[in-house]
């Protein structure tokens, strides 16, 4: 029953924020869910959708403090480096969201062919499940 309700067994429902308000709106949880499915299905995302995901990610991430408390259990993942299919394998082995909590230690982009898709999927998951996925900036996510 818990899994059918979209929450981990024995856990509470994931906290949901109202997103997209004040920046053109229009992309509620259902549309974010659609983009997550699109990305998980390796389907292309339109530029406007990608830009909107980035705007929403800015909203969510800017609300967080620089120091984030992360309670266990949590699955800690190292550098992804744009390896989109490795990211999908991590979710396959570690468990899908929101059932598993993840902490990603930066370096989401760079060496792989799918850096954009990798970052967009992580952003979409952060928007949808802000208390179940944590993103730490790595040296590849700096302005330099």
């Amino acid at each position: 029953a818990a899994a059918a309700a979209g929450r981990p067994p024995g856990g509470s429902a994931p906290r949901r924020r109202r997103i997209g308000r004040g920046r053109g709106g229009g992309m509620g949880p259902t549309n974010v869910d659609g983009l997550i499915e699109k990305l998980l299905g390796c389907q292309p995302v339109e530029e406007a959708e990608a830009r909107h995901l980035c705007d929403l990610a800015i909203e969510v991430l800017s609300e967080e403090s620089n120091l984030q408390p992360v309670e266990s259990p949590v699955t800690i993942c190292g550098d992804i480096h744009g390896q989109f299919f490795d990211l999908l394998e991590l979710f396959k082995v570690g468990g899908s969201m929101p059932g598993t909590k993840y902490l990603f230690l930066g370096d989401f982009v760079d060496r792989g062919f799918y850096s954009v898709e990798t970052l967009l999927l992580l952003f979409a998951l952060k928007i949808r499940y802000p208390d179940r996925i944590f993103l730490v900036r790595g040296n590849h996510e700096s302005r330099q």
Side-chain angles (χ1 to χ4, degrees):
R7 62 182 190 263
S12 60
R15 188 177 87 203
R16 293 186 183 176
R17 296 180 185 174
R18 293 200 170 257
I19 54 175
R21 307 283 181 196
R23 288 190 181 223
M27 186 173 283
T30 303
N31 290 342
V32 172
D33 287 342
L35 285 174
I36 291 170
E37 290 302 315
K38 214 179 203 188
L39 288 160
L40 289 174
C42 303
Q43 299 171 1
V45 174
E46 300 294 324
E47 182 180 345
E49 294 171 319
R51 287 179 183 272
H52 197 61
L53 269 179
C54 290
D55 287 341
L56 294 175
I58 289 169
E59 283 184 35
V60 171
L61 293 169
S62 66
E63 290 178 10
E64 294 184 345
S65 75
N66 288 336
L67 184 60
Q68 284 294 303
V70 180
E71 295 180 19
S72 63
V74 62
T75 301
I76 301 172
C77 303
D79 303 3
I80 301 295
H81 285 295
Q83 301 294 333
F84 183 75
F85 295 102
D86 289 352
L87 177 62
L88 296 182
E89 186 67 17
L90 279 171
F91 290 135
K92 187 173 160 185
V93 171
S96 60
M97 305 278 303
T100 303
K101 188 187 310 179
Y102 285 95
L103 169 62
F104 286 92
L105 300 178
D107 292 350
F108 312 119
V109 300
D110 186 29
R111 299 178 189 137
F113 289 110
Y114 301 101
S115 290
V116 172
E117 292 84 355
T118 299
L119 193 59
L120 288 177
L121 179 57
L122 291 172
F123 279 174
L125 290 169
K126 181 65 180 176
I127 293 161
R128 183 66 175 90
Y129 306 108
D131 295 331
R132 303 298 297 168
I133 185 169
F134 300 89
L135 306 173
V136 176
R137 188 186 75 193
N139 63 303
H140 293 283
E141 286 78 46
S142 68
R143 294 181 186 196
Q144 299 168 358

